[in-house]
Amino acid sequence: MPLNSKIPAGEMAQKWINYKNTCKLVNPANKRSIEVIVIGTGLAGASAAASLGEMGYKVKAFCFQDSARRAHSIAAQGGINAAKNYQNDGDSTFRLFYDTIKGGDYRAREANVYRLAEVSANIIDQCVAQGVPFAREYGGLLSNRSFGGTQVQRTFYAAGQTGQQLLIGAYQALERQIALGNVTMYDRHEMLDVVVIEGKARGVIARDLVSGKLERHFGHAVLLCSGGYGNVFYLSTNAMGSNVTAAWKAHKKGAYFGNPCFTQIHPTCIPVSGDHQSKLTLMSESLRNDGRIWVPKKQNDTRKATDIPEEERDYYLERRYPAFGNLVPRDVASRAAKERCDAGYGVGSSRQAVYLDYAAAIERYGKIECNKQGNHNPPMDLVIKLGKEVVKEKYGNLFDMYEKITGENPYETPMRIYPAVHYTMGGIWVDYELMTSVPGLYALGEANFSDHGANRLGASALMQGLADGYFVIPYTIGNYLADEIRTKAIPTDHPEFVKAEKEVADRIEKLMSIKGTESVESMHKRLGKIMWDKCGMARNATGLKEAITEIRALREEFWKNVRIPGSADSMNTELDKANRVADFMELGELMCMDALEREESCGGHFREESQTEDGEAKRNDEQFMYVAAWEFKGNNQWELHKEALDYEIMHPTQRSYK
């Protein structure tokens, strides 16, 4: 069946306006009898639940954390994009749209991205009204900083904790609706299946993670806002609990999975320090505003960074990409760092790191501060002192975090960074209305494949999550629910609810009965190593075929030899983890199949068989200008559907940041 993306007709700038003018509406009295389930309470989930509650729908929100405000959105540090043009530096809706499409290496759907750019300015007004403490200029206007992949300053921020402040804003809106009785909150609950009745999503099966009991919940529509699946690689910047389960259960019930192999590698992460680690820590991309990235010009140089003179340093991003310098997009910066380390120029004990240096920024800011004080010939120690104070004000919590983890003072010596798995651009396939291929089932934020193509620009995740929740779904869901006002709440003793719960219970029982010898953690680690080595930053056909075989063998071993202590009828975090890792095993196989099928390099997905003469990524637009949407057909079996990407405005060209 051909994929219908439901993109409205007409000019690009008018599509969303026309859609809003013509979509169906649900009157307030009818909204009160319609129930909506929201899975996940990060930026997309909290904003959607709060908005729909405010509109009068009966909402049930679920999160597996002990509080809605512990969602992983809090970990976003650097900022949120919006085309406000406060700097008067040439920004516009079109330029944000252009940068996002180009940054995603021409693998995103134009209409969705244009809408995202269009509503971005509203998000900032919404958040300011909620009291989000964005950084401000001396005169009181909101401040902006630069981010990778753009030549304007459009990123709004709150020190290095933007995600946390935005989530608190959305959380307050959500809590207000909970207090008013419009939203019922189920924390410590994990969704373990979608209930589909007569072809439409009509509810979920959830497990109470404290008591272990399975519960059935009805909804006229289900919204998946459950985040990304970067933890398939074991080591990633995601919170340990982040998983693919909600999206994967939806996929197995008929929702197509879009571009599963599109994973973002973030260039500024604290390097791996040994086998003992269970996660990685991100240093915000905002640090590339003022920090300069370099390696020694000499291979295997063991001198301390501060002992290497300026003329013996290779500022390789500034050398290779003069137009953008240290602010090239994430995929370009990540690949360049890997290339330098692989060539023998890496630093630190592992040799798998590059330097991010703030010395020049400290000196520059210090001189500006001295000039403000009328001191035009200041001593260097004063310049450094004042410069450090400015940097502390802008990035202090990030510097403190780095020192806590590494024991090194980044004000005195350069940080060491290396690329790591971060965000996932792949996810559940959705149309323009954010509906999946299952009617009544929606996916928002990082859980869907939309908007970012093969590489997400920094500061666009927060933008997409809030755009989907505050400004898109309130309109598009009405278009569907207007036809559901006569549908009465379906009792949860309906055979499909009973069947779905039994399938979940049987799987849990099967997991608990294995009583093998290997821990869930060690099997997850083994999966992660296969994924990183063979489906990570660089891939080739031979490695991907090997990975598929290895993952199938590991999965078989998992179901025969995993060890889960405790019981299923009480709190059991190992069981929760086993459920999630079992889904990662299946997802890992599909990711490798998708990567094998896509015989081109695009975004951060470097197929070694497809590169330019100077080692850059080489796209193949003639054969691969489409979204790969995979339909689950049974164990180890998927069918590929292709949504062609037709560019009306953008003309795909070889990306250049030189």
Side-chain angles (χ1 to χ4, degrees), residues 270-295:
I270 296 178
V272 176
S273 59
D275 290 340
H276 60 283
Q277 271 177 283
S278 52
K279 84 175 293 299
L280 297 172
T281 306
L282 183 72
M283 299 312 296
S284 168
E285 182 178 330
S286 60
L287 294 171
R288 291 200 279 143
N289 278 313
D290 290 317
R292 297 179 73 196
I293 293 170
W294 63 276
V295 290

Side-chain angles (χ1 to χ4, degrees), residues 82-156:
K84 285 282 204 184
N85 196 29
Y86 281 171
Q87 313 296 319
N88 201 24
D89 56 0
D91 201 8
S92 63
T93 296
F94 181 85
R95 199 167 297 268
L96 174 51
F97 158 69
Y98 172 85
D99 287 341
T100 307
I101 291 276
K102 179 185 174 188
D105 219 350
Y106 304 95
R107 291 293 175 265
R109 191 190 286 150
E110 266 191 332
N112 285 56
V113 178
Y114 194 91
R115 175 176 67 189
L116 179 66
E118 204 177 330
V119 303
S120 67
N122 299 345
I123 296 170
I124 304 304
D125 299 339
Q126 169 89 5
C127 294
V128 169
Q130 287 175 339
V132 173
F134 285 122
R136 293 179 182 266
E137 300 290 359
Y138 179 72
L141 286 175
L142 297 184
S143 182
N144 285 127
R145 57 187 175 203
S146 311
F147 249 67
T150 71
Q151 289 181 304
V152 297
Q153 288 181 273
R154 66 161 70 100
T155 304
F156 294 79

